[in-house]
Amino acid sequence: MVKDDGLAAGKGVVVTEDIEQARAHALACERVVIEEYLDGPEVSLFAITDGTTVLPLKPAQDFKRALDGDEGPNTGGMGAYSPLPWADPKLVDEVLETVLQPTVDELRRRGTPFSGLLYAGLAITSRGVRVIEFNARFGDPETQVVLARLKTPLAGVLLNSANGTLADQAPLSWSDDAAVTVVVASHNYPGTPRTGDPIEGLDEVAEKDAPHAYVLHAGTKRGEDGAVLSAGGRVLSVTATGSDLAQARERAYAAVGRIRLDGSQHRTDIARKAAEA
Ligand code: GLY
């Protein structure tokens, strides 16, 4: 992965298996960054920590491109699912041992202890797990599917994180259900989104699809007459649970189908491959 070390309007990176192409791009850069090529799927794993104890949540995968088949521009996330049936059952333990716990321990050792939510963005490569990024916040839209599966009330876990008493936390309890969330985005997102359009069908979802499917609001507001209007790029996260990913997907897309927002867009392939596999 060869990258121009500067702003290049999105054209500065070459990701290639061809050494000559990599070399040619490197020679064309004034200053160059060379990074390991990551050949595997991405996973988001969140953990709650009090600065010493680290409590991992369940892994999820999000879909960052705007269009089906991972085409189109990058977005804040167009959907997510959990669990990951294709992932090694030992993944969470491995990431806890090799990534999350050492990171929290090192931050404490340096005198900059971190408590709160540590988000590891990972690539599962043929050479093992690699960290792409850390965030100090919940991820969106992965949180919608991870919390849909968490049976332990979250507030007590966060309180233990804040109070430094996470070691006393009872093991987290998880539903065996799968969860899928599909983001409904505005016209033109991720470019400047069109806003102010009325959203219809929310009551129908509440009547016909609850409790298995429900709508989480992201970019919405109330109009003067009380109508719900779009107010951002990613407008709604339509989330559903089911006994497996196929059922959760079916329920999420049935609910998406009831929502009417002029010009809106959503991906139709969230969790499809994982559900089929
Ligand atoms: N889902 C990516 C993020 O929250 O950064």
Side-chain angles (χ1 to χ4, degrees), residues 41-46 58-66 70 74-84 86 119-122 132-133 135 137-146 179-183 189 234 267 269-271:
E42 287 184 31
V43 169
S44 300
L45 182 63
F46 308 151
K58 293 288 183 190
Q61 188 173 52
D62 73 343
F63 293 74
K64 294 199 173 75
R65 299 286 181 153
D70 294 327
N74 250 320
T75 71
M78 296 298 287
Y81 68 94
S82 179
L84 312 178
W86 47 268
Y119 163 153
L122 308 162
I132 304 171
E133 61 172 356
N135 289 303
R137 59 169 172 81
F138 278 101
D140 177 13
E142 299 96 308
T143 301
Q144 288 85 312
V145 290
V146 173
V180 171
T181 193
V182 179
V183 169
Y189 177 77
R234 290 185 298 156
R267 279 184 62 157
D269 63 347
I270 303 300

Side-chain angles (χ1 to χ4, degrees), residues 100-228:
L100 297 167
Q101 189 70 58
T103 301
V104 167
D105 290 346
E106 178 62 14
L107 287 167
R108 191 177 63 252
R109 192 192 67 77
R110 291 184 185 193
T112 54
F114 173 76
S115 61
L117 194 293
L118 185 61
Y119 163 153
L122 308 162
I124 313 301
T125 79
S126 53
R127 293 177 303 280
V129 174
R130 298 288 186 272
V131 177
I132 304 171
E133 61 172 356
F134 284 116
N135 289 303
R137 59 169 172 81
F138 278 101
D140 177 13
E142 299 96 308
T143 301
Q144 288 85 312
V145 290
V146 173
L147 295 189
R149 302 182 57 219
L150 178 64
K151 291 204 282 191
T152 305
L154 181 64
V157 186
L158 297 180
L159 186 64
N160 276 328
S161 160
N163 287 343
T165 50
L166 215 46
D168 302 334
Q169 172 70 44
L172 298 180
S173 167
W174 294 95
S175 158
D176 288 332
D177 279 355
V180 171
T181 193
V182 179
V183 169
V184 176
S186 296
H187 181 72
N188 204 42
Y189 177 77
T192 308
R194 198 175 83 198
T195 57
D197 289 306
I199 303 165
E200 287 167 8
L202 297 169
D203 291 344
E204 279 171 56
V205 174
E207 269 164 37
K208 298 185 176 147
D209 303 313
H212 301 297
Y214 46 90
V215 175
L216 298 168
H217 290 235
T220 65
K221 66 175 182 189
R222 289 265 182 208
E224 277 172 20
D225 59 357
V228 181

